[in-house]
Amino acid sequence: MTQTLQAVRGMNDILPDQAELWERFEETVRGWLAAYGYRNVRTPLLEHTALFRRAIGEATDIVEKEMYSFVDELSGEHLTLRPEATASVVRAAVEHSLLYSGPQRLWYMGPMYRHERPQKGRFRQFHQVGAEALGYAGPDVDAELLLMCARLWGDLGIDGIRLHINSLGSLDERLAHREALVAHLRAHEGELDEDSRRRLQTNPLRVLDSKNQAMQQVIAGAPKLLDFLGDASLAHFEGVQAILKDAGLPYTIDARLVRGLDYYNLTVFEWITDQLGAQGTVCGGGRYDGLIEQIGGKPAPAAGFAMGVERLIALMQKAEDDSGAAPDVYVVNQGEAATRLAFRAAERLRDHGLAVIQHCGGGSFKSQMKRADASGATIAAIIGDDEAAAGEVTVKPLREERGQSRVALERLADAVSELLYGEHFE
Ligand code: ATP
Ligand code: MG
């Protein structure tokens, strides 16, 4: 017997039922990015392993243990399936000298690969949408990136996503902080877990990022990077905050926010929700002024973010389940004359911006009413021979105990509106 083959662990098929939501997400995202002047860039899924080692940093979760890396048997090249796309976008911008014609606002969307333990909201193939503002130094672009995110949540119809920000300062400031941090961690070495003891040697800042409950006290007592920032770094951070305040965008300063990748400096941020359980970060980003030079380009500042598409789509699904993507009206019709009137009725309702499903394919009233109920529609508009002869429609609320009524076609939109919103359209 042939064994059935299954998808690779942690890699999901997106079937038509779900794909609808994905397409709506992608469309919304394209419109949103265009509204801020970001332009699309598409880079290969495979890159030289050296790119990620150099860009992301050796002592990071991604490079230490999450990359799908292999030697191409045909060419002998060391290749890696991209775990993120900032490194790729910067590589492409440098390789094709994009910055020679001035700063660039770029975006990408697509699958990423990380060999982590699959769980709710965490996969081995997942998708990100990201924006990269290359060649911009000021706090204005950092703030713009944040305002952009806030607008997207609105466009997607999701809420309850909180903004955490921090500043990682400059390399010098981080080194001064590092010394104090290492001293603190050494003093509590007995309380550190194995990962953190190792990080103490390689990348002590990342200890602050630990999710281990047992270490939260040591972390809370650690010296704060913010206290080591000089005037220029503080001014940048305050510049970002001033714009956020002006725009009325609430945020929390989170001294423990250090981000998992090495390339960040100054502003870093995360958007977090409580609605998804443990994997609540839907977007992370910040400034990475050193990366372009590190990848071989002429030094230039930059900032950006990456969003987890699966997590955002889960939030869209939740919002939809709560509010119901159900139609406003389901039009039940039986008989030839009734069907003709039904088309006119449905179009009229849509003229008023209502979502209408017209029953197609016939069937008894009883079976059509069952469909109407299952559609989640608030109201059924029912047209049989009687109604057709009189040019009228029976309007029946499906979600509350209210009697049905019969109205002339001309009054239909008003009658429906009264039931839905308690008022007329005009
Ligand atoms: P974590 O600390 O949770 O592993 P991260 O710092 O590795 O997060 P980033 O590299 O900043 O995550 O990626 C940006 C966003 O992409 C995350 O906030 C998350 O929404 C999403 N993301 C990252 N890894 C995964 C994954 N394995 N599966 C699904 N989404 C992911
Ligand atoms: Mg991770």
Side-chain angles (χ1 to χ4, degrees):
M1 206 172 72
T2 319
Q3 213 187 337
T4 36
L5 290 170
Q6 294 181 330
V8 175
R9 183 164 137 81
M11 308 210 176
N12 302 314
D13 296 311
I14 295 155
L15 301 174
D17 270 354
Q18 281 175 295
E20 265 174 43
L21 206 52
W22 279 73
E23 287 184 339
R24 184 136 51 84
F25 175 85
E26 288 164 8
E27 243 167 72
T28 305
V29 156
R30 287 199 182 90
W32 159 71
L33 287 156
Y36 285 87
Y38 280 73
R39 297 168 70 217
N40 189 213
V41 50
R42 302 173 188 225
T43 61
L45 298 193
L46 278 179
E47 296 276 358
H48 292 290
T49 302
L51 173 68
F52 301 117
R53 303 192 88 94
R54 208 196 288 178
I56 298 170
E58 295 286 345
T60 58
D61 280 349
I62 292 180
V63 172
E64 275 178 355
K65 55 188 185 202
E66 294 176 358
M67 295 208 301
Y68 281 91
S69 298
F70 59 95
V71 180
D72 179 351
E73 287 175 11
L74 299 175
S75 67
E77 290 171 301
H78 290 254
L79 302 178
T80 294
L81 274 169
R82 66 180 185 193
E84 56 107 62
T86 299
S88 308
V89 169
V90 168
R91 192 237 350 109
V94 169
E95 186 169 336
H96 304 286
S97 309
L98 291 190
L99 288 168
Y100 283 27
S101 49
Q104 299 281 327
R105 286 180 164 93
L106 304 173
W107 70 271
Y108 62 83
M109 174 154 59
M112 308 293 159
Y113 301 85
R114 296 186 193 178
H115 202 283
E116 348 194 26
R117 191 169 66 78
Q119 53 195 289
K120 184 166 171 273
R122 195 177 283 287
F123 314 102
R124 290 181 174 176
Q125 176 183 277
F126 63 101
H127 296 72
Q128 287 184 334
V129 171
E132 314 292 357
L134 307 182
Y136 295 92
D140 48 0
V141 96
D142 303 12
E144 181 186 83
L145 289 165
L146 293 168
L147 297 180
M148 273 173 82
C149 293
R151 179 177 294 277
L152 179 64
W153 314 148
D155 289 354
L156 294 174
I158 56 186
D159 54 20
I161 306 180
R162 290 173 281 108
L163 172 59
H164 283 204
I165 61 174
N166 192 19
S167 175
L168 299 184
S170 67
L171 192 58
D172 286 351
E173 291 154 2
R174 274 202 300 286
L175 284 176
H177 168 258
R178 180 183 166 129
E179 227 170 276
L181 178 63
V182 169
H184 170 83
L185 294 175
R186 281 213 200 295
H188 295 85
E189 201 155 351
E191 297 159 61
L192 301 184
D193 60 18
E194 199 191 310
D195 244 13
S196 299
R197 264 200 290 271
R198 195 165 41 82
R199 290 239 154 89
L200 190 51
Q201 314 294 332
T202 56
N203 193 348
L205 196 58
R206 295 277 288 113
V207 174
L208 300 180
D209 200 24
S210 164
K211 293 175 179 84
N212 186 346
Q213 276 307 320
M215 292 191 14
Q216 297 313 308
Q217 214 178 332
V218 184
I219 290 170
K224 294 194 172 32
L225 184 44
L226 276 179
D227 295 331
F228 289 77
L229 298 194
D231 289 345
S233 294
L234 282 174
H236 188 103
F237 197 37
E238 274 154 19
V240 176
Q241 293 179 58
I243 299 170
L244 299 184
K245 282 188 188 127
D246 256 1
L249 183 62
Y251 60 86
T252 307
I253 296 179
D254 179 354
R256 285 193 41 197
L257 178 57
V258 295
R259 307 278 304 127
L261 298 80
D262 270 3
Y263 51 57
Y264 288 107
N265 68 304
L266 292 171
T267 320
V268 286
F269 56 84
E270 280 184 357
W271 290 88
I272 303 160
T273 175
D274 297 326
Q275 300 169 57
L276 296 177
Q279 313 309 330
T281 308
V282 295
C283 173
R287 181 156 282 285
Y288 50 91
D289 291 331
L291 185 61
I292 295 177
E293 184 179 18
Q294 209 171 311
I295 286 180
K298 212 173 116 221
F305 58 68
M307 302 181 169
V309 175
E310 281 80 358
R311 294 182 191 179
L312 289 171
I313 285 181
L315 289 178
M316 285 171 80
Q317 185 68 58
K318 260 191 202 301
E320 207 157 88
D321 292 347
D322 290 349
S323 76
D328 299 310
V329 182
Y330 193 99
V331 181
V332 169
N333 59 98
Q334 196 183 45
E336 209 175 298
T339 299
R340 282 208 301 278
L341 184 61
F343 270 102
R344 289 166 58 199
E347 288 302 334
R348 255 173 201 249
L349 292 170
R350 294 187 189 109
D351 285 345
H352 286 85
L354 298 173
V356 182
I357 292 183
Q358 177 168 346
H359 183 86
C360 289
S364 68
F365 272 120
K366 198 171 159 211
S367 70
Q368 291 194 36
M369 286 305 290
K370 266 196 190 154
R371 290 284 188 87
D373 195 48
S375 77
T378 316
I379 293 165
I382 305 165
I383 308 174
D385 291 335
D386 272 8
E387 283 90 350
E392 293 178 345
V393 180
T394 296
V395 177
K396 182 179 164 60
L398 294 173
R399 311 292 151 195
E400 48 183 336
E401 296 298 319
R402 272 213 266 179
Q404 58 188 49
S405 57
R406 237 167 101 157
V407 298
L409 179 64
E410 293 68 34
R411 281 257 314 126
L412 175 63
D414 272 342
V416 166
S417 162
E418 246 174 57
L419 287 171
L420 287 173
Y421 315 113
E423 57 183 56
H424 286 204
F425 276 112
E426 285 86 7

